[in-house]
Amino acid sequence: MPATAPRLQNKVFFDRPESGERAVLVHLDLGPGATRDDPRELEELVLSAGGDPVEYIFGQRDRPDPGHFVGSGKLAEIAAAVRSHDAALVIFDHALTPTQERNLERALGCRVIDRTGLILDIFAQRARSHLGKLQVELAQLRHIATRLVRGWTHLERQKGGIGLRGPGETQLETDRRLIRDRIRLLTQRLAKVHLQREQGRRARRRAEVPTVSLVGYTNAGKSTLFNALTGAGVYAADQLFATLDPTMRRCELADGHTVVLADTVGFVRHLPHQLVEAFRATLEEARLADLLLHVIDASAPDRDDTSFEVEKVLAEIGADQVPRLQVFNKIDLLEVAPRIDRGEDGRPQRVWVSARSGAGMDLLREAIAALLEQDIVHDWLALAPGQGRLRARLYEKGAVLAEEVDAEGAIRLEVRLPRAQLAQLLAAEGIRPEPSRAAEYI
């Protein structure tokens, strides 16, 4: 974050650099056997934030320097690059401690931010909905709270100020108290949003409408896929974190049934913990979904690594046990034909599609329907005399596919509906079939 303290605006968002601000990028490989992350991702993040990368400095150390993260020689190299390009910003592709950040700013004579601060900045630019803004603001406040070491130029006074400060309270103490109060207020507001979203989920469960959530690495094509399946027209662009605010739409499957499809924020390597905590309300759409579509950029050379990062975040939010289907997107860049890959049990494991061209969308709908099929009952029911109300309710649900009358006048219905819904209808009629024979009774 900036060395000179930014001012909190009415919405308590921090000031961001103007577009095109020159930035020197720094990436170190740490440890003797360290695996290097793709350095191009930091450059893409900077471009997404509106910065202008002018030089990329690489290095290697066994461990970070506790004072400046880099050694004295590398620090001199960074300082020379800052002077050469007249850069106003140095961005590290790592998490810096508050002490390291302050020492670097003093040594380099310009602002220094780390990977966490950069991602928070991008999120602040992308947030549009009320929920998204609340979550970003909370993450920013938690991040900046650890970096308060001097009095800021000023904070907008929501509490405190002349005549309201405690005895002997300094500007720094006041600033810390204001941030704590704001964090507490945002946490309460997000708790209310959580309750509202939970009510919506309960309503969908009562209506027996499954929820399918899109997850994946940022820029894997989730929003484009979401539009191809739902026709929603949400914003999609070839940039990191183009989508921040969650969107939910109904989607028709190949079997004629409907699911609710949720488009969620993309993941990234070393996703800041502040964002995982602040966006828990949004990420719960993945944790509580009936099925996850793990969207993967099939054309990316590091798709295995990015898939692993997604799995790590899913485990962190408790979504690693949710059934999932891998969707390999952007096959138009590989000239690969759309197809479904199935496991030994015949269930779909991955689908190869192109959301941009629409290739494979029917196969994807078919695979989703097949994976949700295990909770669907498709069978013939023989109705006893006096069960006309059950027949009427089955027709109301749209569950009757065919009806027959045998020689003795008994009615048989071919039905297809969620197993839990059928169990509720049978229970309302006082029928208690065995679990393995839930669709058979006379």
Side-chain angles (χ1 to χ4, degrees), residues 132-152:
K133 291 178 180 179
L134 287 178
Q135 293 176 133
V136 171
E137 184 181 341
L138 178 59
Q140 285 183 312
L141 286 171
R142 286 174 171 167
H143 181 68
I144 198 65
T146 64
R147 281 151 169 78
L148 274 181
V149 293
R150 64 179 73 84
W152 291 9

Side-chain angles (χ1 to χ4, degrees), residues 14 116 120 123 133-145 183 186 190 272-279:
F14 297 105
T116 299
L120 287 172
F123 273 47
K133 291 178 180 179
L134 287 178
Q135 293 176 133
V136 171
E137 184 181 341
L138 178 59
Q140 285 183 312
L141 286 171
R142 286 174 171 167
H143 181 68
I144 198 65
I183 287 176
L186 290 173
L190 283 172
H273 181 70
Q274 294 96 326
L275 285 178
V276 175
E277 284 298 315
F279 277 74

